[in-house]
Amino acid sequence: MNWQSDLNVIETVFVPSLERWYEYHKRDLPWRHTRNPYYIWLSEVILQQTRVAQGKPYYERFIAAYPTINDLAHADERELLRLWQGLGYYSRARNLHQTARHITEQLNGKFPETYHELLKMKGIGVYTAAAIASFAFGERVSVVDGNVYRVLARVFGIDEDITTTSAKKTFAALAARLIQQASDPATYNQAIMEFGAIQCTPVAPDCLLCPVQQQCVAYLTGQQNRLPIKAKKAPVRNRYFQYLIFKNGDKIAMRERTDRDIWQNLYDFYLLETDEPKPMLRDLLLPDSVNELVQQGVLSTMPTGAMQLLSHQRIQAMFYVIDLPDKLAGHLPTGLKWYSQAMIGDLPKPVLIANYLEKSFG
């Protein structure tokens, strides 16, 4: 087959085939039962970098806690981040909050209704704007996410690196042509993303029962495992966190992370970051004032370790619990404050910290 000359034929078969497939195979998900742009926006942001099974309960909790965009706009940021705890990429939650405030205060609560107006909102990029515009308002604009890249690359045999600007233009142009043939843009966008999520999967795609099997270039040429082409990810960076957990009775000293780093505005303990693992407390080069607290305190438990893998970082942490006598309770390092167990439960925390607290003090 001359693939280039037959691409038009593939295009005409592709769209109706996916729409029919979607009618019978779509999952029953709560955000598919609404045209409310706020709910759709919330679901799309939660599902970025998050599997549906993990994201669904978060979506339901957010809708219960903040049923309207006005409720979200007036939410307490600490409570918002605590509710987001476990999803990671906390800038998503902060952008949600800021954009909800903007829509409520500057746009009189009226959600932008077009793709181009949505793009003006903080934290709403090309994909999310297209999803909201098509799902909520029926605008004929195509969504292109990881699932769509994979489906289009395989079916149409596109061997360009999807991380490059030129490839993104190629895929965007193809997606824009395809959606013109759709009977309903919202249904088609849902269909192609769903098809990539459960049929044309990254590993072991179900080619045997694929409705476009005989049009799929990757299937007909045995390139399912090769396509899409994507440059290798940057190597994961190792970081070594040494946490000193100062205790006094039932209180624990914690601090809010305010630097522009991972976990901004979340709470953890006194932290010393080192260039390599430091399994022994005596190996840490601490400031004199902190070292004095350690010397006068009591190492109450054996040091324990934990690890959390982020998108491009591997956090390897050691935890040292130091019991301080009452006379030193007022001499905490700058930024630390005492919190009771009940108060700590209400603080937004990284998963690494939340899991450690649950295991050690829960």
Side-chain angles (χ1 to χ4, degrees), residues 3 9 34 46 48 54 82 87 105 110 119 127 142 158 189 208 225 230 250 258-259 264 270 310 319 324 343:
W3 303 118
V9 175
T34 181
I46 287 175
Q48 292 170 13
Q54 180 190 6
R82 190 190 66 80
L87 281 174
E105 297 169 4
K110 182 175 174 59
L119 280 176
Y127 163 76
S142 55
I158 303 173
N189 276 334
L208 182 63
N225 294 330
K230 185 177 182 180
D250 65 348
T258 56
D259 294 339
Q264 186 177 10
Y270 179 86
L310 307 179
F319 298 92
L324 294 182
M343 294 167 67

Side-chain angles (χ1 to χ4, degrees), residues 65-96:
Y66 311 115
T68 70
I69 195 168
N70 184 64
D71 294 319
L72 179 61
H74 292 92
D76 176 74
E77 184 176 285
R78 180 183 292 182
E79 176 60 25
L80 178 67
L81 291 174
R82 190 190 66 80
L83 202 59
W84 193 268
Q85 185 175 304
L87 281 174
Y89 297 92
Y90 288 87
S91 61
R92 292 182 293 169
R94 286 187 285 269
N95 287 338
L96 273 172

Side-chain angles (χ1 to χ4, degrees), residues 55-349:
K56 183 180 175 183
Y58 280 91
Y59 170 82
E60 292 168 340
R61 286 197 290 269
F62 261 82
I63 293 302
Y66 311 115
T68 70
I69 195 168
N70 184 64
D71 294 319
L72 179 61
H74 292 92
D76 176 74
E77 184 176 285
R78 180 183 292 182
E79 176 60 25
L80 178 67
L81 291 174
R82 190 190 66 80
L83 202 59
W84 193 268
Q85 185 175 304
L87 281 174
Y89 297 92
Y90 288 87
S91 61
R92 292 182 293 169
R94 286 187 285 269
N95 287 338
L96 273 172
H97 200 200
Q98 292 178 32
T99 299
R101 285 179 172 174
H102 175 78
I103 292 173
T104 299
E105 297 169 4
Q106 305 300 320
L107 304 180
N108 297 316
K110 182 175 174 59
F111 214 98
E113 296 184 1
T114 69
Y115 171 73
H116 291 291
E117 288 299 313
L118 285 160
L119 280 176
K120 297 176 183 179
M121 300 297 103
K122 185 177 179 62
I124 296 183
V126 171
Y127 163 76
T128 305
I132 298 170
S134 67
F135 300 157
F137 303 112
E139 185 173 349
R140 197 170 288 274
V141 56
S142 55
V143 297
V144 183
D145 68 350
N147 288 320
V148 175
Y149 277 123
R150 183 167 57 259
V151 172
L152 295 183
R154 287 173 174 170
V155 173
F156 292 90
I158 303 173
D159 60 357
E160 299 180 43
D161 180 352
I162 63 173
T163 64
T164 65
T165 301
S166 61
K168 289 176 181 178
K169 290 179 179 178
T170 298
F171 282 93
L174 174 58
R177 291 199 306 274
L178 291 171
I179 203 168
Q180 298 307 313
Q181 303 176 36
S183 56
D184 173 63
T187 299
Y188 169 72
N189 276 334
Q190 292 279 18
I192 191 169
M193 291 194 298
E194 188 79 333
F195 188 76
I198 66 177
Q199 182 88 25
C200 192
T201 51
V203 179
D206 188 3
C207 297
L208 182 63
L209 300 177
C210 175
V212 291
Q213 179 200 84
Q214 291 307 304
Q215 291 78 40
C216 178
V217 173
Y219 175 78
L220 295 174
T221 59
Q223 297 186 80
Q224 300 97 313
N225 294 330
R226 176 176 172 268
L227 297 174
I229 295 173
K230 185 177 182 180
K232 292 183 178 180
K233 292 183 179 181
V236 174
R237 171 191 174 197
N238 285 308
R239 298 180 69 179
Y240 305 99
F241 286 9
Q242 319 301 326
Y243 279 118
L244 301 188
I245 305 169
F246 294 110
K247 286 181 77 266
N248 178 249
D250 65 348
K251 298 188 296 294
I252 295 176
M254 300 192 73
R255 54 116 193 199
E256 183 178 8
R257 294 176 61 89
T258 56
D259 294 339
R260 295 185 63 83
D261 192 3
I262 60 170
W263 306 335
Q264 186 177 10
N265 301 127
L266 305 187
Y267 285 74
D268 63 0
F269 314 111
Y270 179 86
L271 171 63
L272 177 69
E273 184 169 359
T274 56
D275 294 331
E276 58 184 5
K278 299 286 186 181
M280 303 298 292
L281 183 59
R282 64 171 178 267
D283 295 330
L284 302 183
L285 297 176
L286 298 168
D288 290 342
S289 58
V290 177
N291 191 55
E292 184 175 343
L293 285 178
V294 172
Q295 295 301 319
Q296 296 189 51
V298 177
L299 184 64
S300 61
T301 63
M302 291 293 293
T304 58
M307 188 271 286
Q308 183 178 356
L309 184 62
L310 307 179
S311 57
H312 299 295
Q313 300 182 36
R314 182 184 292 106
I315 309 300
Q316 300 185 45
M318 289 295 295
F319 298 92
Y320 308 90
V321 180
I322 312 294
D323 274 316
L324 294 182
D326 291 340
K327 66 179 182 179
L328 296 178
H331 298 277
L332 288 174
T334 303
L336 288 176
K337 296 180 180 179
W338 290 113
Y339 293 93
S340 66
Q341 297 282 350
M343 294 167 67
I344 289 173
D346 293 331
L347 297 177
K349 302 170 289 292

